[in-house]
Structures are given as C-alpha cells and as structure tokens.
Amino acid sequence: MTNAQKWMAAFLGLFLFLFVLGSITKKEDAGNAVTEKYMEEISQASQEIDGLALIKQTGCITCHGSELQGTKMAPELKDLKKYWTRDALINYLRNPSSYSDDARFDEYRAKYKNIVMPSYRNIDVKDLGKMADYLLTK
Ligand code: HEC
C-alpha cells in the first residue's frame, strides 16, 4: 500500500464508523419517542381510572349514583365543564358551602332538601385534582 492508499483507507474507515454511529443514535431517539408516547398514553388512561376509582372509593356515588347519574339525594354530575374550571371544582369539593349562593344551587337546595354536599377538605388536593379531571371529561 502506498501512503495515499493508507490515507484513503483511514478516511473510509472513519466515514463508515461515523455513519454506523449516526444510525444507531437515530434509532435510539425514535425508540425513545415511541416509548414516551406509550408511557404518556398509559398515564392518561390510568389518570381517568384513578379519578373514577377515587370517586367510587370516596363515596360520592352514594349520593350521586353509581354512574353519577343523580339520585333522589343529589344531582347528576355531567356537563360540569360548562360550569367549572378545574381549580374552581377542586375548591368547591373542599368547601361546597362557599358556593351555595350560586343561582343554580337554589334549585338544588329545593330539590335535595336536608342533604348537603359534604366538604372534602381532608382529602389530598392531588386526589381531588384527579377526581376533578375525571368529572370534567363527563
Ligand atoms: C351526602 C350526599 C353527597 C355526597 C356523599 C357527595 N355529594 Fe356532591 N352534591 C350533593 C348535593 C345534595 C349536591 C347539590 C348541591 C348542594 O345541595 O350543596 C351536590 C353537588 C355536587 C356538585 C355540583 C354539581 C353541579 O351541578 O355543579 C359536584 C361537582 C359534586 N357534588 C361532586 C361530588 C363529589 C366529587 C363527591 C365525592 C368526593 C360528592 N359530590 C359527594 C350531595 C353529595
């Protein structure tokens, strides 16, 4: 081999090495993106399940019904995103009596006499957030 041939071989080797390295890291990136998306979907799904599970576990369904369809004791819980932001809903769950001036609630008071929506101040705000997230999807 002449010197020139040696140089050519060295460059070729380097080129190949970089090419292979490049394609390996690219594949890893794509793999990560897929995994991240997958994890995000899983956590979104589990958030909804968590919210509903918490609502059942906390006993909201005793008054609001097993499908939150409403009972003689409490109103149906749907279309809540018409009335509530996430923060307002969390605050409401923590302190329902502070909202009883709202006109909509006059009707509730007449219809569900003697039943008051309990305050859930003792529940972790994060869990209330999960419940609110779930309620706002309905
Ligand atoms: C003891 C029965 C009872 C329980 C248990 C109960 N609620 Fe209520 N809830 C009511 C009543 C009654 C109202 C109607 C408003 C009022 O009278 O204060 C109401 C109103 C609401 C509203 C307002 C509805 C609207 O139209 O904006 C939401 C939201 C709500 N409840 C969510 C919950 C959640 C979430 C839980 C469980 C963490 C729960 N409630 C547990 C009785 C109950």
Side-chain angles (χ1 to χ4, degrees), residues 65-134:
S66 58
E67 305 294 321
L68 305 179
Q69 78 282 17
T71 68
K72 269 187 251 166
M73 292 193 288
E76 180 180 17
L77 298 180
K78 69 157 200 184
D79 292 338
L80 291 181
K81 53 181 165 310
K82 264 201 264 177
Y83 311 109
W84 302 102
T85 62
R86 184 175 189 271
D87 282 353
L89 188 51
I90 293 172
N91 282 335
Y92 171 73
L93 296 177
R94 287 174 60 82
N95 192 11
S97 58
S98 69
Y99 285 81
S100 53
D101 289 343
D102 196 300
R104 199 156 44 91
F105 283 82
D106 289 342
E107 202 182 299
Y108 287 154
R109 258 195 304 262
K111 207 163 161 190
Y112 311 105
K113 280 197 198 99
N114 308 324
I115 314 250
V116 278
M117 165 75 189
S119 150
Y120 289 96
R121 210 180 301 239
N122 56 332
I123 289 184
D124 191 333
V125 176
K126 269 195 211 139
D127 287 344
L128 292 178
K130 284 182 193 165
M131 292 193 230
D133 284 338
Y134 176 77

Side-chain angles (χ1 to χ4, degrees), residues 42-60:
I42 288 185
S43 86
Q44 260 170 12
S46 74
Q47 232 176 22
E48 274 173 38
I49 294 163
D50 273 3
L52 181 59
L54 282 164
I55 283 170
K56 291 186 172 166
Q57 193 182 311
T58 312
C60 317

Side-chain angles (χ1 to χ4, degrees), residues 9-20:
F11 270 121
L12 223 91
L14 186 68
F15 180 75
L16 261 173
F17 173 73
L18 288 176
F19 181 77
V20 170

